[in-house]
Amino acid sequence: LLENHTLHLIVLAKQKIFGKIVKAGAVGVPSFLIPFVSSVYAPFLAKKEIGISTAAVGSFSETERNELHRNDLVQLQTLLGNKKYLVGEEPTAVDCAALGLLGASYYAIPSAR
C-alpha cells in the first residue's frame, strides 16, 4: 500500500513542482548552470516519473487521485487503530516509511491534511 500506491500518488501530486525539485537537488552543479539544468532536466524527469506513477496507480483526474490518497490514509489509520506502532511493540522500517509518507502527504497534498 505505502510504496506501491501511496508513494506514486504523492509523486503525481508533485508533478507541478518538478522544476523546483530539480533545482533543490542540483547539488554540485555550478550556480550558473542550475537554470539550464532545471529547464532541460525537469521536463524529462517529470515525464519519466509521471509515466511510472501512472502505470502503478492508473490514469485518474486530480480529484480522483486525491480521493484515492485519502482512502490510503484512512486504511493506514484503520490498520494502526489503537496500537502504538503498525507492526509489533517497537518501531520498524514500516513505521518509518509510513511516517515519511505521512509527512510528504501533508505537504504535497493539501486535501490529505
Side-chain angles (χ1 to χ4, degrees):
L1 169 71
L2 292 173
E3 293 180 352
N4 291 321
H5 197 259
T6 308
L7 174 65
H8 290 292
L9 290 170
I10 293 170
V11 168
L12 290 169
K14 290 182 176 184
Q15 66 183 335
K16 296 175 185 173
I17 60 167
F18 272 118
K20 292 179 184 178
I21 293 171
V22 171
K23 281 183 186 178
V27 177
V29 176
S31 59
F32 69 92
L33 285 178
I34 291 177
F36 173 74
V37 169
S38 65
S39 66
V40 171
Y41 187 63
F44 170 75
L45 177 67
K47 184 176 179 181
K48 181 178 177 184
E49 290 296 324
I50 290 168
I52 292 169
S53 294
T54 300
V57 174
S59 183
F60 296 101
S61 69
E62 184 176 356
T63 305
E64 292 169 325
R65 286 193 313 261
N66 287 343
E67 186 60 29
L68 288 170
H69 191 208
R70 182 185 174 288
N71 290 339
D72 284 0
L73 296 177
V74 168
Q75 293 303 318
L76 189 59
Q77 180 182 11
T78 302
L79 180 63
L80 183 60
N82 291 330
K83 298 183 294 187
K84 194 171 183 179
Y85 301 106
L86 289 171
V87 183
E89 298 296 319
E90 294 186 17
T92 63
V94 174
D95 296 300
C96 295
L99 183 61
L101 289 174
L102 286 173
S105 297
Y106 183 81
Y107 290 105
I109 304 173
S111 64
R113 296 177 189 163

